[in-house]
PDB file of all heavy atoms in Angstrom:
ATOM      1  N   ILE A   6       8.063  23.232 -27.149  1.00 44.00           N
ATOM      2  CA  ILE A   6       6.849  23.010 -27.939  1.00 44.00           C
ATOM      3  C   ILE A   6       6.487  21.578 -28.038  1.00 44.00           C
ATOM      4  O   ILE A   6       5.325  21.150 -27.908  1.00 44.00           O
ATOM      5  CB  ILE A   6       7.020  23.685 -29.325  1.00 44.00           C
ATOM      6  CG1 ILE A   6       7.118  25.237 -29.182  1.00 44.00           C
ATOM      7  CG2 ILE A   6       5.908  23.263 -30.283  1.00 44.00           C
ATOM      8  CD1 ILE A   6       7.385  25.909 -30.531  1.00 44.00           C
ATOM      9  N   LEU A  49     -19.063  -3.416 -34.238  1.00 87.00           N
ATOM     10  CA  LEU A  49     -18.119  -2.388 -34.002  1.00 87.00           C
ATOM     11  C   LEU A  49     -16.649  -2.890 -34.202  1.00 87.00           C
ATOM     12  O   LEU A  49     -15.765  -2.115 -34.595  1.00 87.00           O
ATOM     13  CB  LEU A  49     -18.291  -1.910 -32.522  1.00 87.00           C
ATOM     14  CG  LEU A  49     -19.568  -1.095 -32.286  1.00 87.00           C
ATOM     15  CD1 LEU A  49     -19.698  -0.673 -30.763  1.00 87.00           C
ATOM     16  CD2 LEU A  49     -19.598   0.134 -33.139  1.00 87.00           C
ATOM     17  N   CYS A 116     -13.445  -5.057 -48.220  1.00 91.00           N
ATOM     18  CA  CYS A 116     -12.343  -5.857 -47.746  1.00 91.00           C
ATOM     19  C   CYS A 116     -11.518  -6.506 -48.865  1.00 91.00           C
ATOM     20  O   CYS A 116     -10.288  -6.580 -48.814  1.00 91.00           O
ATOM     21  CB  CYS A 116     -12.809  -6.989 -46.726  1.00 91.00           C
ATOM     22  SG  CYS A 116     -13.590  -6.416 -45.234  1.00 91.00           S
ATOM     23  N   PRO A 130       6.179  -3.335 -58.103  1.00 63.00           N
ATOM     24  CA  PRO A 130       6.791  -2.047 -57.679  1.00 63.00           C
ATOM     25  C   PRO A 130       5.879  -0.896 -57.969  1.00 63.00           C
ATOM     26  O   PRO A 130       5.015  -0.856 -58.804  1.00 63.00           O
ATOM     27  CB  PRO A 130       8.050  -1.999 -58.567  1.00 63.00           C
ATOM     28  CG  PRO A 130       7.741  -2.874 -59.741  1.00 63.00           C
ATOM     29  CD  PRO A 130       6.901  -3.930 -59.217  1.00 63.00           C
ATOM     30  N   THR A 147     -12.502   3.450 -50.423  1.00 84.00           N
ATOM     31  CA  THR A 147     -12.856   4.572 -49.586  1.00 84.00           C
ATOM     32  C   THR A 147     -14.301   5.015 -49.815  1.00 84.00           C
ATOM     33  O   THR A 147     -15.032   5.336 -48.888  1.00 84.00           O
ATOM     34  CB  THR A 147     -11.876   5.687 -49.878  1.00 84.00           C
ATOM     35  OG1 THR A 147     -10.552   5.349 -49.628  1.00 84.00           O
ATOM     36  CG2 THR A 147     -12.228   6.941 -49.033  1.00 84.00           C
ATOM     37  N   LEU A 160     -30.150  -0.804 -41.675  1.00 76.00           N
ATOM     38  CA  LEU A 160     -31.114  -1.850 -42.071  1.00 76.00           C
ATOM     39  C   LEU A 160     -31.268  -2.941 -41.105  1.00 76.00           C
ATOM     40  O   LEU A 160     -32.416  -3.422 -40.951  1.00 76.00           O
ATOM     41  CB  LEU A 160     -30.551  -2.441 -43.378  1.00 76.00           C
ATOM     42  CG  LEU A 160     -30.561  -1.583 -44.676  1.00 76.00           C
ATOM     43  CD1 LEU A 160     -29.925  -2.170 -45.912  1.00 76.00           C
ATOM     44  CD2 LEU A 160     -32.049  -1.139 -44.977  1.00 76.00           C
ATOM     45  N   ILE A 214      -3.038  -6.798 -45.569  1.00 91.00           N
ATOM     46  CA  ILE A 214      -3.556  -8.081 -46.018  1.00 91.00           C
ATOM     47  C   ILE A 214      -4.113  -8.931 -44.899  1.00 91.00           C
ATOM     48  O   ILE A 214      -5.165  -9.526 -45.000  1.00 91.00           O
ATOM     49  CB  ILE A 214      -2.355  -8.802 -46.685  1.00 91.00           C
ATOM     50  CG1 ILE A 214      -1.965  -8.138 -48.077  1.00 91.00           C
ATOM     51  CG2 ILE A 214      -2.753 -10.314 -47.117  1.00 91.00           C
ATOM     52  CD1 ILE A 214      -0.732  -8.668 -48.695  1.00 91.00           C
ATOM     53  N   LEU A 257     -29.610  17.307 -46.493  1.00 84.00           N
ATOM     54  CA  LEU A 257     -28.698  16.495 -45.757  1.00 84.00           C
ATOM     55  C   LEU A 257     -27.498  16.044 -46.555  1.00 84.00           C
ATOM     56  O   LEU A 257     -26.332  16.042 -45.970  1.00 84.00           O
ATOM     57  CB  LEU A 257     -29.457  15.209 -45.084  1.00 84.00           C
ATOM     58  CG  LEU A 257     -30.378  15.532 -43.901  1.00 84.00           C
ATOM     59  CD1 LEU A 257     -31.149  14.270 -43.556  1.00 84.00           C
ATOM     60  CD2 LEU A 257     -29.574  16.033 -42.754  1.00 84.00           C
ATOM     61  N   SER A 267     -14.687  20.139 -46.712  1.00 89.00           N
ATOM     62  CA  SER A 267     -13.912  20.947 -45.784  1.00 89.00           C
ATOM     63  C   SER A 267     -12.838  20.081 -45.130  1.00 89.00           C
ATOM     64  O   SER A 267     -11.705  20.475 -44.848  1.00 89.00           O
ATOM     65  CB  SER A 267     -14.811  21.574 -44.710  1.00 89.00           C
ATOM     66  OG  SER A 267     -15.444  20.562 -43.914  1.00 89.00           O
ATOM     67  N   SER A 313     -31.043  14.770 -21.127  1.00 61.00           N
ATOM     68  CA  SER A 313     -32.098  15.715 -20.792  1.00 61.00           C
ATOM     69  C   SER A 313     -31.973  16.998 -21.640  1.00 61.00           C
ATOM     70  O   SER A 313     -32.727  17.931 -21.360  1.00 61.00           O
ATOM     71  CB  SER A 313     -32.107  16.009 -19.333  1.00 61.00           C
ATOM     72  OG  SER A 313     -30.789  16.525 -18.998  1.00 61.00           O
ATOM     73  N   SER A 315     -32.531  19.865 -24.235  1.00 63.00           N
ATOM     74  CA  SER A 315     -33.661  20.181 -25.035  1.00 63.00           C
ATOM     75  C   SER A 315     -33.258  20.765 -26.421  1.00 63.00           C
ATOM     76  O   SER A 315     -34.121  21.246 -27.224  1.00 63.00           O
ATOM     77  CB  SER A 315     -34.566  21.183 -24.375  1.00 63.00           C
ATOM     78  OG  SER A 315     -33.781  22.366 -24.043  1.00 63.00           O
ATOM     79  N   ASP A 320     -30.538  22.509 -34.596  1.00 86.00           N
ATOM     80  CA  ASP A 320     -29.846  23.703 -34.012  1.00 86.00           C
ATOM     81  C   ASP A 320     -28.362  23.435 -33.661  1.00 86.00           C
ATOM     82  O   ASP A 320     -27.509  24.249 -33.756  1.00 86.00           O
ATOM     83  CB  ASP A 320     -30.588  24.121 -32.734  1.00 86.00           C
ATOM     84  CG  ASP A 320     -32.009  24.586 -33.052  1.00 86.00           C
ATOM     85  OD1 ASP A 320     -32.279  24.991 -34.173  1.00 86.00           O
ATOM     86  OD2 ASP A 320     -32.952  24.417 -32.215  1.00 86.00           O
ATOM     87  N   VAL A 323     -26.264  23.610 -36.721  1.00 91.00           N
ATOM     88  CA  VAL A 323     -25.974  25.036 -37.118  1.00 91.00           C
ATOM     89  C   VAL A 323     -24.868  25.572 -36.216  1.00 91.00           C
ATOM     90  O   VAL A 323     -23.942  26.253 -36.654  1.00 91.00           O
ATOM     91  CB  VAL A 323     -27.304  25.851 -36.923  1.00 91.00           C
ATOM     92  CG1 VAL A 323     -26.984  27.303 -37.079  1.00 91.00           C
ATOM     93  CG2 VAL A 323     -28.271  25.425 -37.939  1.00 91.00           C
ATOM     94  N   GLY A 330     -16.473  26.875 -38.935  1.00 91.00           N
ATOM     95  CA  GLY A 330     -16.180  27.931 -39.889  1.00 91.00           C
ATOM     96  C   GLY A 330     -15.363  29.064 -39.300  1.00 91.00           C
ATOM     97  O   GLY A 330     -14.347  29.582 -39.833  1.00 91.00           O
ATOM     98  N   CYS A 351      -7.935  21.466 -33.259  1.00 93.00           N
ATOM     99  CA  CYS A 351      -8.700  20.521 -32.411  1.00 93.00           C
ATOM    100  C   CYS A 351     -10.178  20.912 -32.255  1.00 93.00           C
ATOM    101  O   CYS A 351     -11.037  20.034 -32.175  1.00 93.00           O
ATOM    102  CB  CYS A 351      -7.988  20.438 -31.048  1.00 93.00           C
ATOM    103  SG  CYS A 351      -6.429  19.722 -30.972  1.00 93.00           S
TER     104      CYS A 351
END
Side-chain angles (χ1 to χ4, degrees):
I6 291 174
L49 292 177
C116 296
T147 302
L160 290 175
I214 293 172
L257 284 174
S267 63
S313 58
S315 60
D320 297 333
V323 171
C351 289

